[in-house]
Amino acid sequence: MSSQTPMSPQTPSSQTPLHFHVPEPASRPGGKPDFSNVVIPEAGSVRRPPVDVDPKEIRDLAYSIIRVLDREGQAVGPWVPELGHDDLIRGLRHMMTLRSFDARMQMAQRQGKTSFYMQHTGEEAVSCAFRIALSPGDMNFPTYRQAGLLIAHDYPLVDMMCQIYSNERDPLKGRQLPVMYSSKEHGFFSISGNLTTQFVQAVGWAMASAIKGDTRIAAAWVGDGSTAESDFHAALVFASTYKAPIVLNVVNNQWAISTFQGIARGGSGTFAARGLGFGIPALRVDGNDYLAVYAVAQWAVERARRNLGPTLVEYVTYRAGAHSTSDDPSAYRPKHESDGWPLGDPLIRLKNHLIAAGAWSEERHKQTEAEILETVIAAQKEAESFGTLHSGSKPSARDMFEDVYAELPPHLRRQRQQIGV
């Protein structure tokens, strides 16, 4: 028998008390905006690996930020894409159109013409630049803040507005919340109000495309807050296991409604780093740099197209406006926090780049703003001629019985007859 005296357990009074940890944002209402935690490398300093690189060799890219436009508006470094001035002017017009569209629809909501709206202010480059990297037939599975995918693909503004107004010309017949668009022809899967459901659906769609031997790829979209949902992690499991041809996009705009991004991010350091544990190549990109967004999108799309599997991309950007028309951001962040965002405004940065290249001017920019506003107002007038939330014609009650069954069941036929439609 051992002669050692057994150690007695510590009493609760002698132990260090446990502390529950809740991450806190750097600043709150009334405080000074603080983005010192956002480490921004020099434009052009992040290397561009070959598309077929082993994910293990680029783990560091999940912790950096790929940038192309420097402070003087010059495009520098290995990620400079092959986009001509005409391409960039078209991209600038797309972003300007989205911002003008947002302003008119925000005003329409305040006037009671629709029940709800969500703006994209500060995030226009993410969806507008990504869209032009795709090919016909590719499918986006978006959230409610990627309308740029439609605008950059020339989806009719009138149709978007009719959906927002839920009028008689609403392409979705009043079945969706305003801004939850859908268009198969434009590669825009129906938006769901349930957080993150589209992420795992997108992986399934991509797997089906591969199973059929098709050439189309998928792009999944999610916000920083929604990465805390289980569907996000399930999607990464399936994407990595079956090497699904998909680009997994995380838009980190710093705020998930009233919760700052540190809550969902946890201890992973970055959202891109979430992909590393699944063996998925992960990149972070300056989401307010149109050229950088396009370059990274092109890299990830090519990887998917070449059967090399998924890529996780984190877009570092900032939601300059409210989460929605139901939100008041001054209740949870400094009133002028957006003014301190170190990556600037995507429209101004692309405008300055084009001016520095001699392809644009302040005068031409103002003229284009006026032209775009005129186009948006004309579309709004046409859309409102078909009705708004509280005026004009609405979708028929008959529509609720259609587009579900190939042949309407007897009990639903009877119900339709009872209401006289």
Side-chain angles (χ1 to χ4, degrees):
M1 179 179 292
S2 174
S3 60
Q4 293 180 338
T5 305
M7 295 179 63
S8 60
Q10 289 183 307
T11 61
S13 60
S14 64
Q15 295 179 355
T16 303
L18 298 173
H19 295 282
F20 184 66
H21 173 68
V22 178
E24 287 286 337
S27 53
R28 284 291 193 183
K32 183 180 179 180
D34 181 6
F35 291 108
S36 58
N37 62 320
V38 182
V39 180
I40 303 173
E42 290 293 322
S45 65
V46 178
R47 76 184 192 281
R48 187 184 192 280
V51 171
D52 60 353
V53 66
D54 187 324
K56 294 193 294 291
E57 297 178 12
I58 58 169
R59 292 176 63 88
D60 59 305
L61 298 190
Y63 298 96
S64 189
I65 300 178
I66 295 165
R67 302 176 63 225
V68 170
L69 293 176
D70 65 16
R71 300 296 180 185
E72 287 71 46
Q74 300 295 326
V76 296
W79 288 91
V80 176
E82 294 182 2
L83 289 175
H85 291 157
D86 288 344
D87 297 319
L88 295 177
I89 290 170
R90 194 175 302 114
L92 180 60
R93 289 183 63 92
H94 289 154
M95 293 196 291
M96 294 169 70
T97 300
L98 178 54
R99 188 164 292 187
S100 182
F101 181 92
D102 271 351
R104 296 300 301 183
M105 292 298 95
Q106 178 87 356
M107 188 185 305
Q109 193 278 334
R110 297 309 190 207
Q111 294 169 340
K113 295 177 180 179
T114 183
S115 60
F116 183 77
Y117 192 70
M118 306 184 82
Q119 293 182 293
H120 304 71
T121 313
E123 301 179 44
E124 293 91 349
V126 174
S127 54
C128 289
F130 185 90
R131 186 62 188 82
I132 64 172
L134 296 175
S135 298
D138 294 338
M139 184 62 71
N140 285 284
F141 288 73
T143 75
Y144 37 65
R145 222 182 299 276
Q146 275 88 51
L149 295 170
L150 291 173
I151 286 177
H153 202 243
D154 298 323
Y155 186 81
L157 297 181
V158 173
D159 288 354
M160 292 176 70
M161 291 173 174
C162 285
Q163 194 280 325
I164 292 167
Y165 290 143
S166 301
N167 62 25
E168 65 177 350
R169 278 279 303 273
D170 176 1
L172 305 183
K173 303 177 182 179
R175 296 167 178 163
Q176 284 274 70
L177 188 72
V179 309
M180 295 195 175
Y181 316 105
S182 175
S183 176
K184 182 178 180 181
E185 296 76 14
H186 290 265
F188 196 93
F189 201 84
S190 303
I191 296 176
S192 171
N194 299 313
L195 290 179
T196 329
T197 55
Q198 74 279 0
F199 222 65
V200 71
Q201 292 165 357
V203 173
W205 191 97
M207 289 167 58
S209 184
I211 290 168
K212 292 188 295 185
D214 207 330
T215 59
R216 298 173 296 170
I217 68 165
W221 295 84
V222 74
D224 50 277
S226 296
T227 61
E229 295 285 334
S230 58
D231 279 346
F232 174 81
H233 301 275
L236 265 58
V237 169
F238 278 85
S240 62
T241 300
Y242 297 103
K243 295 190 180 299
I246 188 170
V247 183
L248 301 162
N249 296 306
V250 178
V251 182
N252 176 11
N253 66 12
Q254 311 304 310
W255 289 95
I257 310 186
S258 60
T259 305
F260 90 113
Q261 50 91 17
I263 297 290
R265 190 191 68 234
S268 64
T270 71
F271 291 97
R274 293 278 177 84
L276 300 181
F278 296 91
I280 296 175
L283 308 174
R284 291 179 89 216
V285 60
D286 178 349
N288 290 21
D289 182 337
Y290 186 93
L291 281 80
V293 170
Y294 172 76
V296 168
Q298 188 182 46
W299 190 93
V301 165
E302 183 182 349
R303 187 177 177 90
R305 197 92 63 195
R306 286 172 55 178
N307 252 353
L308 296 171
T311 303
L312 180 64
V313 180
E314 176 187 346
Y315 302 86
V316 183
T317 182
Y318 184 82
R319 169 167 58 79
H323 177 74
S324 73
T325 49
S326 303
D327 174 45
D328 176 12
S330 66
Y332 52 81
R333 69 187 191 190
K335 187 175 182 180
H336 301 291
E337 187 179 71
S338 62
D339 296 337
W341 176 241
L343 295 177
D345 183 311
L347 275 72
I348 294 174
R349 290 178 65 187
L350 184 54
K351 178 192 76 170
N352 290 345
H353 169 67
L354 287 167
I355 290 174
W360 201 243
S361 67
E362 289 288 356
E363 181 182 2
R364 190 174 173 187
H365 192 81
K366 290 178 181 177
Q367 290 175 345
T368 303
E369 277 184 327
E371 291 169 5
I372 287 173
L373 178 59
E374 185 178 348
T375 299
V376 172
I377 290 175
Q380 184 177 8
K381 288 180 178 178
E382 183 179 349
E384 290 181 3
S385 71
F386 302 112
T388 63
L389 179 63
H390 296 300
S391 67
S393 301
K394 303 289 190 298
S396 170
R398 182 186 180 90
D399 292 336
M400 77 174 79
F401 296 97
E402 298 179 349
D403 303 325
V404 178
Y405 295 96
E407 185 175 340
L408 201 64
H411 72 286
L412 291 182
R413 273 202 302 271
R414 289 193 298 271
Q415 290 180 23
R416 190 177 67 186
Q417 291 166 357
Q418 287 171 3
I419 64 172
V421 295

